[in-house]
Amino acid sequence: MNIYIYFSIELDAGPEATIKMVAVTVNSLKPLAWTPFLSSLNSFNWPWSFVSIPRKTSRLKPLSCQMAASEGDTQIMTKVIDSHLHVWASPQEAAERYPYFPGQEPSLPGHVDFLMECMEEAGVDGAFIVQPINHKFDHSYVTSALKKFPSKFVGCCLANPAKDGSGIKQLEDLVLKDGYRAVRFNPYLWPSGEKMTNEIGKTLFSKAGELGVPVGFMCMKGLLLHLQEIEKLCTEFPSTVVLLDHLAFCKPPKNDEERRGFSELLKLSRFPQIYVKFSALFRVSRNPYPYEDLSQVLAELVSSYGAHRVMWGSDFPFIVAECGYKESREAVSYLAKQGHLPSSAMEWIMGKTIMQLFDGKWSDIAN
């Protein structure tokens, strides 16, 4: 039996002080020996596990002593939660009740029963459903899935940035009446020539903070195109939590522009309200499964943000045709090993981060 003992070490003084939680693995059958505190805090080869927690702004609860079972012992498993996927109606459901938005008919199956089958096979306990463009601002299908499987799913609605401001009331209704817990900003839905920092965008972003729901950004055309908007919104409204979908579409850098984009992604960690989804790996990797070029990317994300601000997402159902749903989960384990991340970091990435963000949602699901 191994025991993890957590020490709290303050690295900096002042209002921006950072606490490092150091986990030391101790064999319960041997005397506790002093392990020297090494100078580099970003090494992942130690038998230590680090979680950076900004003192005043962290949403995380204090860590406590934990028991980790060795081989052969009964093990308490951490929940596996998929932080990014979509569902949409089957053709029959669309014809009968949940029509697709014109021109957005899907080419892949993505109905909720198919998702449940994939999750069961992959050992995934719960998921965060993002409203798909296939139904645009009609949330009725996703709402039906949330009501059918309330213990399995959390919903993320799609922001409507219409000039008349009708999207603000729609956001309130989706959160307060239908139970959505987050909202997605798709900058390509803003009126032509408008930015997410226009009056409507600021109002929506501020309202999300008031409602206590995170805002997810989809930077499909690249982070650099939307960087100033994200920085401005985060600066003006620091209480609104932000999720960067799919690594903000930053690929492993190969040229100066890509290096700048990835560098800016890492520097956004200075905003304590920003979290990163390590999701849709096939969209950002240049390699086939298991997306080996992302191992260093993952290590650097954890080094900059801390594992407690990084979360895995599959991008179902698109991932099914790429490598398979179960394989998308397995790829992260492989990449974490390649990047020498400790198992404690993987627990955060694969479920603890998003569970903590949503106040323990999914914790009542039986293993």
Side-chain angles (χ1 to χ4, degrees), residues 203-216:
T203 303
L204 285 167
F205 194 83
S206 175
K207 178 61 68 175
E210 292 174 19
L211 294 169
V213 298
V215 172

Side-chain angles (χ1 to χ4, degrees), residues 229-290:
E229 297 165 82
I230 294 171
E231 290 177 326
K232 186 172 183 179
L233 290 170
C234 288
T235 300
E236 292 189 25
F237 307 99
S239 65
T240 302
V241 174
V242 165
L243 311 174
L244 296 178
D245 296 345
H246 313 332
L247 294 86
F249 288 83
C250 290
K251 292 179 177 289
K254 280 196 170 184
N255 56 49
D256 289 343
E257 183 177 6
E258 290 177 347
R259 278 187 282 273
R260 181 180 163 234
F262 186 64
S263 175
E264 293 294 345
L265 171 61
L266 298 181
K267 285 193 281 188
L268 283 174
S269 64
R270 71 187 184 275
F271 293 100
Q273 78 252 48
I274 294 183
Y275 292 69
V276 179
K277 292 185 184 180
F278 191 67
S279 55
L281 304 187
F282 68 96
R283 297 189 186 276
V284 292
S285 175
R286 292 185 174 86
N287 297 150
Y289 176 84

Side-chain angles (χ1 to χ4, degrees), residues 17-67:
T18 299
I19 301 295
K20 291 287 182 178
M21 302 300 295
V22 184
V24 183
T25 306
V26 182
N27 189 306
S28 61
L29 301 180
K30 297 180 182 179
L32 177 62
W34 170 250
T35 303
F37 187 80
L38 304 181
S39 58
S40 172
L41 290 173
N42 289 324
S43 170
F44 297 104
N45 295 317
W46 302 356
W48 313 61
S49 157
F50 295 98
V51 179
S52 300
I53 306 179
R55 173 182 288 169
K56 291 189 174 181
T57 55
S58 174
R59 297 167 61 91
L60 303 181
K61 299 179 177 67
L63 295 176
S64 58
C65 293
Q66 300 176 3
M67 304 290 285

